[in-house]
Amino acid sequence: MTSPDLTEANIDRLAELFPNVITEKLDADGNPKKAVDFDLLRQELSDHVVEGPQERYRLDWPGKREAAFAANAPIAKTLRPIGEESVDFDNTKNLFIEGDNLEALKLLQESYLGKVKLIYIDPPYNTGNDFVYDDDYAETADEYLLRSGQTDHNGAKLVANLESNGRFHSDWLSMMYPRLKLARNLLSDDGVLVISIDDNESANLRKIGDEILGAGNFVAQLAVQVNPRGRHLDRFVAKTHESLMVFVRNATADSIAGVAKEGRMADEYQRSDERGRHRLLGLRNRNQAFNPQTRPNLYYPLFVAPSTGRVSTTQNAEFSVEVLPDAPDGTQTCWTWGRERVNSDNALLLAEQTGKEWRIYRKDYLHGADGEVAKTLVKSLWLDPEFNNDYGRKSVKDLFGEAVMDFPKSPQLMKRIIEIAAEPGSTVLDFFAGSSSMAHAVMLANAADGGRRKFIMVQLDEIPDPKSVAAKEGYSSIAALSRERIRRAGVKVIEEAGLGAGGLDVGFRALKVDTTNLTDVLRTPDETEQQALSGLGDSVKPDRSGEDLLFQVLLDWGLELTMPISVEKLEGHEVYLVEDDALIACFDSEVSPELVRAIAKREPLRAVFRDSGFASDDARINAEQIFHEISPATDVKAI
């Protein structure tokens, strides 16, 4: 009898935007209710680290505020194309990005916001010997820009995180937190996040996952047997499995598909009728929590036609044998189906007699009504031998002749994740790509079902151990090895697909995280000498190409980085045309009025020029006027 609680409604709206700021508090009656952590909300809306802790239910660690700040702080970076490292650059829809994944995720925010169906990551495990990313983004926005811009041209550093370090868990959490926050933004509404993890940080990962994606969007922690023998350092228990932590972007969406009933599971379907192969499952409900008071609609007798085994809820001359849902030990249980479903799906039920007892079964078919292999819910325990690390190592050895990576994930394990979480036309992101087992799996999945899935791989240009096989084989970085793995895997997938390989995309556009293409030419009059003015006219760095500038423009406008690009000569100028005139760009050092008019006549959605290409401010203003007259809908920009 009251108007709506607008405070609760506002909290719900904030939870959509910033799920990590939602916490719990006790109301006047001592009952827990949702509340806003205003300290965290201020941090989300601030360009500096906000102080002011208070007691609350959440996971805390030294450096958490700095980690939240790192997720939001801007960077002076861009993505530059590497044509010579790419495969089928002009046609592919796949991306391989070399560089720090925190910076890559920031650069992808506009172009791929809400567009990624599956994000899988296999982050560094916090074992005391592995490496973590040393972000060190705890100061001000200006310091952050300096640190992540011109001063650190190699990207993020790698440092050992030894157990003797007092921040052993904190450093790992601070590395993961901002990356997961940014990853969440890229997930589609029905998107899925899957993270490989071992025991060392699984509890903490679950907590920050709950905070960032919302506790209600946690699905399961799957166990995958990756090493049937255990490890030689194991004590007390042979650790044969790793976990897959699964979250969804929106628990109300249909995010995860079932697993096809095939392989060894299909062997269980030994019976057959006019509809097809099936198996029999008992109709008796084994849930011991049910009783006649809580589930009265599931307690009733069924009647059997002795000559045919048909089942009915009604007794008559044909259906004469009464069967009650009795458990073998004499205790009464109940049926799985209610009366209405028994009557409507009667053809799916069958009674069989063993001695004097009748048992009621339901038919579970291998194929659906459409002829496709039926699916069952994903199980929480994965024991397929093709999922273990030995198979991952073998898949790399088959491509390179030797195992150039120590612990690559099995592409068959990756393929299973794709099958349950990424439809044939969706985008898959892995921002801890390693040897790019996920890219390999995307190509395998597309070859298997004719899909058009696209992948985005991100890998730091980490230098391999000088004693490693990869280093001895001449690979200068893990990123270089990863690209080569995709090339070789693509060739093999095409060979194995044979005639079915038509249209299969096994290429990728190689990009690299680098400093911005633009120079800092902003000056105040009193700090600028007359002779320095001539050097401040061009805002583009001298070593940057037109293609470099084009990709920065794509990022600035939030356009996908795999859009088709062609180059034409127009009025004597080199012009880039993107996605059927969605964008036309010319970055020549001189821009003529004739070129401007020719581009305007094509009525592109967007047009961009190099600012220094105009002889004067008047020339640039005239160009804008030409578009206003000929193509007023065109968005015109000068960089």
Side-chain angles (χ1 to χ4, degrees), residues 126-269:
N126 201 16
T127 63
N129 296 314
D130 290 322
F131 291 93
V132 294
Y133 290 67
D134 181 22
D135 298 321
D136 195 19
Y137 298 142
E139 299 89 5
T140 66
D142 289 340
E143 290 169 327
Y144 181 90
L145 285 170
L146 183 65
R147 195 178 295 276
S148 61
Q150 287 71 33
T151 60
D152 186 7
H153 65 279
N154 290 322
K157 301 173 290 294
L158 290 171
V159 296
N161 191 35
L162 303 178
E163 289 189 73
S164 58
N165 174 15
R167 289 174 50 99
F168 177 67
H169 294 289
S170 298
D171 283 347
W172 191 87
L173 288 167
S174 291
M175 181 271 292
M176 291 296 297
Y177 191 80
R179 288 164 173 83
L180 292 180
K181 283 195 67 179
L182 293 168
R184 175 186 179 269
N185 298 338
L186 301 181
L187 283 173
S188 60
D189 188 60
D190 60 349
V192 182
L193 170 65
V194 181
I195 308 171
S196 285
I197 196 67
D198 69 353
D199 291 345
N200 289 294
E201 297 291 352
S202 61
N204 288 332
L205 178 63
R206 168 69 191 275
K207 289 178 181 177
I208 61 172
D210 285 348
E211 180 176 318
I212 292 170
L213 286 104
N217 291 323
F218 171 75
V219 174
Q221 185 167 333
L222 312 179
V224 183
Q225 183 169 276
V226 296
N227 184 1
R229 298 173 297 278
R231 302 173 300 184
H232 70 284
L233 295 177
D234 289 340
R235 293 187 63 201
F236 307 120
V237 174
K239 297 180 180 179
T240 64
H241 83 281
E242 291 179 358
S243 296
L244 291 177
M245 197 83 73
V246 183
F247 294 88
V248 293
R249 181 66 175 82
N250 180 358
T252 64
D254 293 329
S255 303
I256 298 177
V259 178
K261 299 174 180 177
E262 56 188 3
R264 288 185 297 278
M265 186 183 294
D267 295 338
E268 301 176 18
Y269 293 78

Side-chain angles (χ1 to χ4, degrees), residues 45-61:
L45 303 176
S46 300
D47 64 352
H48 61 279
V49 177
V50 176
E51 301 297 335
Q54 81 180 49
E55 273 190 336
R56 60 182 63 84
Y57 173 74
R58 68 175 187 181
L59 174 65
D60 259 327
W61 67 90

